Amino acid sequence: MKTLLFAASLAAFALPHAFAETAACHGTTLAGTVRDTTLALIPNATLSLDGAHDETSGSDGSFHFSCISEGSHHLTVMAQGFAKHDLSFTAPHASQLSLVLHPEAVETDVDVSADAGPGSSAAASGPTQTISGSRLQSLADDPDDLKRELQQFSAALGGNPSNATISVDGFQGSSSLPPKGSIAYIKVNPDQFSAEYREPPFDGGRIEVYTKPGQSAFHGALFATNGSPWENARDPFSTSKAAIGKQRYGFELTGPIRKAGSDFALTLEHRSIDNFAVVNAITIDSAGNTSSSISNVATPQRLWLGTARVDWQLGPKNTFITSYSANVNNLQNVGVGGTALAETGYNSEQYEHMFRVSDITTASPHFMHEARLSLRWDGETDTPVSTAPQVQVAGAFTGGGATLGAQRVRELNIEVDDDAIVTPKNHTFKFGTQMMVYNEHQQLTTNFNGTYTFGGGTAPVLDANNNPIPGQTETITGVEQYRRAQLGLAGGAATAFSNVAGTPNVDFTQVQNALFVQDDWNVGHNVHVAYGVRYFVQTDPTILDSIVPRLGILWSPTKKGTWTLHAHSGMFSGRFGETDNAEILRENGTTRVTSTVYNPVYGNPFLGATPIHSLRQFSPHLGNLTWIAENVGGTRTFPHGWNFSADYYVGRIWNYTRTENINSPVNDIPTGPRPGPANLNILQMQASGQGRVNAVFAGVEQHSLKHVQFFFGGVRVNLIDDTDDSELSSPQSSVTDAGEFAHRSNQSVWNIFGNGTFTLPKKIELSTDFHGGGDGHYNITTGFDNNGDGNFNDRPQYATPGTPGAIATPYGLLVASGGKGVFPRNEGVMPWTIYLDANIQRAFTLTRNPKATHQQTLQVNIRSSNLLNHTNVTQVGGVLGSPLFGVPYAADNGRRVEAGLRYSF
């Protein structure tokens, strides 16, 4: 910590020095990367500016020119085995250049002028960024921490970070992150209005990862990191510091397979993570006394991650790439933490094996073909700590066994992508197909052990001897209800018991396919127009009507390119994933029967009971989710490397998928009359949801100072819908949508983010990443099922002053039932989350000859996540009247610190 604080002080000292050094330069800067047609980075390329100033691209393909005068310039790029590439541009240039070299037989001459600035594609909008070189190196080494940082970057468009799609090497399907050492560069939120992509800009974002090709000479690295208990902070809500630690080690190796045209890259790493989950619950002891239960439960993880890649130049115009990756994990006590006791945990063996093949052919200077095939085998085997029925006491604790049971999931995912790029004069056409096949073999034992729910409700008033007082009732909490059940007192029957019986095997094959065509038209006069269309079909359920157009325009009104303006409009369609179909089949009412018993006898739930059965189905008129979104924005480039960007989005959602009980009882009594079959809940997945959104983004960037580069921005997203972004979400009532339109659960309205890189004295580098989220929402419920529809998601009502049992809350007087009005969904507001990650490092050169082919370096670093040790709350008690109502009881990890060594040769 002292080292980090000392480095931060040095950074503050370096800032004025950085500005002072820049002030002497009266021009601008130019930076970028050099890649081949496979988008692999090209090191040691020679770049000549105006025939006089030469630079060489680094090992990460990056280059940088300083103090370029304003006006027109010409750049020539050459590399062995590639054709000369000529580029005309106007300085100042608003963003980094991405230069693509073709095989030696092909020559190109491109004029990007000033209109190839930020969002140089007319399909791009908002905060798009490419991360490579030192910026990539500054990010977290641990794959889980790296994933979190990238997801937070993607939230700059306003989406929920957890919804971000992560793709690798041009494939469309989401997959695990490869080891950071194998990554060449990362694109965050690229061209979101392009017809090539499915997701709308503010529905989760997109992260594209591109791995490194092999090198023409042998290079490698050995690395290790360690985080010991003394380095790490006590986790929030824990009363004692646990033995938290992490060890990570591995190697990288790359080199030629033959003298020219073929190379390989290998990576392998292992992680041992000794984490602890904090249980923070309210429980009942054997004597019936309420007590606070706080404990640290070990949740160790052992993880292996490896990759192998071979690049083969089949000819001057054809490159063949094949890769294999494996991700094998062993996780213990999953699901424990917050109000979930240790007995509810389960152990999980998880794996993902992926074999991929890509073929890229540059047939001519104006035609390139890409074909990709991916085979992914993934699955998990889960073993619960206990097979006893689960006990859910609303707003207090969850005990008993894990509901998922002895689950076993096996999946084969086949992805086939085929596209072509045609570049006639002033146009860049890209068209292709993206097919996904999911072959599922699942053993879904969810709720086979059964679940008791204690939600509270109306019960007899007990006297001092725990005997019921005739004619007197009161509303009790789930904790009191459970206490009475434990002691055999009146009012101690559980609210409900549910279970699933039958055969757990669910097998099916789902097929999805998308066709797209996209054109980027250089109209001239610094105007680009992008337009395209995307068509999507799938099985299980059958969707045939998803055709969505896209349109964008980019204009740079000034000759020097200091202004870049853009506008977009487009439609986006959703899809039904394999998990949706699996859930429909799991509760089909025939091979698996779901039963619910109200007010059961605790320990013998079916004694004298009338079970209510449930089944799930797709609506026969199911349509696909459809968005429409518009965007306007722009970027202003200022002298000395300053950029300012702003964007505004507005959108509308219809055919949003949610679930409704179309056979709920008409008199709110579970065994009462229904429109259809008696005692049967029919949970139908329908396209009846709606939503709307508006979002505002603003950001400032500085990339030319000698000792510091940074970006800082924020986005406010007002996204309202009546589905909570879940196909399985149900309204509290099947007859009205009153109060259902609300913010999504746990999705921040405000997102503030930034990153900075500081070059300190003695070649020390300090990097930071910041993300803050605020105004996230959570739901407030009663724990009851007042309308008998099988969903325990009923919300409270407003009470008038003097109402017996009314509870004073920040939202007014509330009562579980018998009040008036409709209390809105997701009315609770979460505390702000603040994450600051930092890394300080120093590289030592071990090779005396700076021109040696095999440079040897030793890099030392100290990294911290959640450096401020801020309590980032993840759960707040939302059950009215429960002991934890309105009280935060679970949070993300506290500060973590680890030190690392990396030897490269």
Side-chain angles (χ1 to χ4, degrees), residues 349-619:
E349 298 280 350
Q350 303 174 359
Y351 69 86
E352 178 188 85
H353 298 277
M354 191 176 303
F355 176 73
R356 287 178 161 176
V357 175
S358 300
D359 185 82
I360 296 94
T361 301
T362 306
S364 75
H366 301 292
F367 182 81
M368 184 170 72
H369 176 257
E370 302 172 312
R372 296 182 175 91
L373 170 66
S374 171
L375 303 175
R376 186 185 74 199
W377 295 267
D378 61 78
E380 67 178 85
T381 299
D382 301 316
T383 305
V385 173
S386 168
T387 58
Q390 185 164 102
V391 177
Q392 298 178 354
V393 179
F397 74 91
T398 299
T403 56
L404 89 169
Q407 177 176 267
R408 185 176 183 271
V409 177
R410 301 291 184 266
E411 177 186 81
L412 169 61
N413 171 227
I414 303 172
E415 177 179 348
V416 179
D417 301 323
D418 192 273
D419 57 67
I421 301 174
V422 183
T423 57
K425 185 177 181 181
N426 298 329
H427 287 271
T428 300
F429 288 100
K430 186 172 185 178
F431 54 91
T433 181
Q434 302 161 350
M435 176 177 286
M436 304 287 288
V437 179
Y438 298 93
N439 183 248
E440 304 289 328
H441 298 279
Q442 304 185 8
Q443 178 179 289
L444 303 179
T445 51
T446 302
N447 210 25
F448 271 53
N449 59 328
T451 299
Y452 287 97
T453 300
F454 291 85
T458 302
V461 177
L462 303 181
D463 61 20
N465 296 319
N466 285 326
N467 295 316
I469 300 176
Q472 295 188 30
T473 61
E474 62 180 337
T475 299
I476 62 174
T477 65
V479 175
E480 172 62 15
Q481 186 182 24
Y482 181 70
R483 185 187 76 85
R484 295 187 182 192
Q486 290 288 85
L487 300 177
L489 304 177
T495 305
F497 174 83
S498 65
N499 77 340
V500 178
T503 303
N505 297 326
V506 174
D507 302 320
F508 64 93
T509 299
Q510 185 185 66
V511 180
Q512 303 173 356
N513 193 28
L515 306 173
F516 73 92
V517 59
Q518 178 76 20
D519 178 32
D520 190 340
W521 175 26
N522 185 351
V523 180
H525 303 288
N526 296 334
V527 176
H528 279 251
V529 175
Y531 55 93
V533 65
R534 181 180 181 89
Y535 177 62
F536 175 80
V537 296
Q538 76 165 84
T539 64
D540 297 315
T542 300
I543 298 294
L544 301 173
D545 57 353
S546 290
I547 183 166
V548 289
R550 313 276 175 85
L551 175 67
I553 185 169
L554 177 79
W555 177 44
S556 182
T558 60
K559 292 183 178 180
K560 294 183 178 181
T562 54
W563 279 96
T564 303
L565 307 176
H566 56 247
H568 304 88
S569 180
M571 296 178 66
F572 301 82
S573 63
R575 68 182 180 92
F576 293 89
E578 68 279 15
T579 55
D580 296 323
N581 193 51
E583 188 65 16
I584 293 291
L585 295 177
R586 186 183 72 83
E587 293 191 78
N588 61 10
T590 54
T591 51
R592 284 157 298 281
V593 177
T594 299
S595 303
T596 301
V597 175
Y598 287 82
N599 302 315
V601 176
Y602 186 52
N604 193 0
F606 289 99
L607 179 65
T610 301
I612 308 299
H613 300 300
S614 299
L615 63 83
R616 292 187 184 274
Q617 62 179 214
F618 288 118
S619 167

Side-chain angles (χ1 to χ4, degrees), residues 17-38:
H17 178 61
F19 280 92
E21 297 228 6
T22 304
C25 173
H26 300 289
T28 185
T29 62
L30 178 71
T33 54
V34 184
R35 302 183 175 94
D36 63 17
T37 54
T38 72

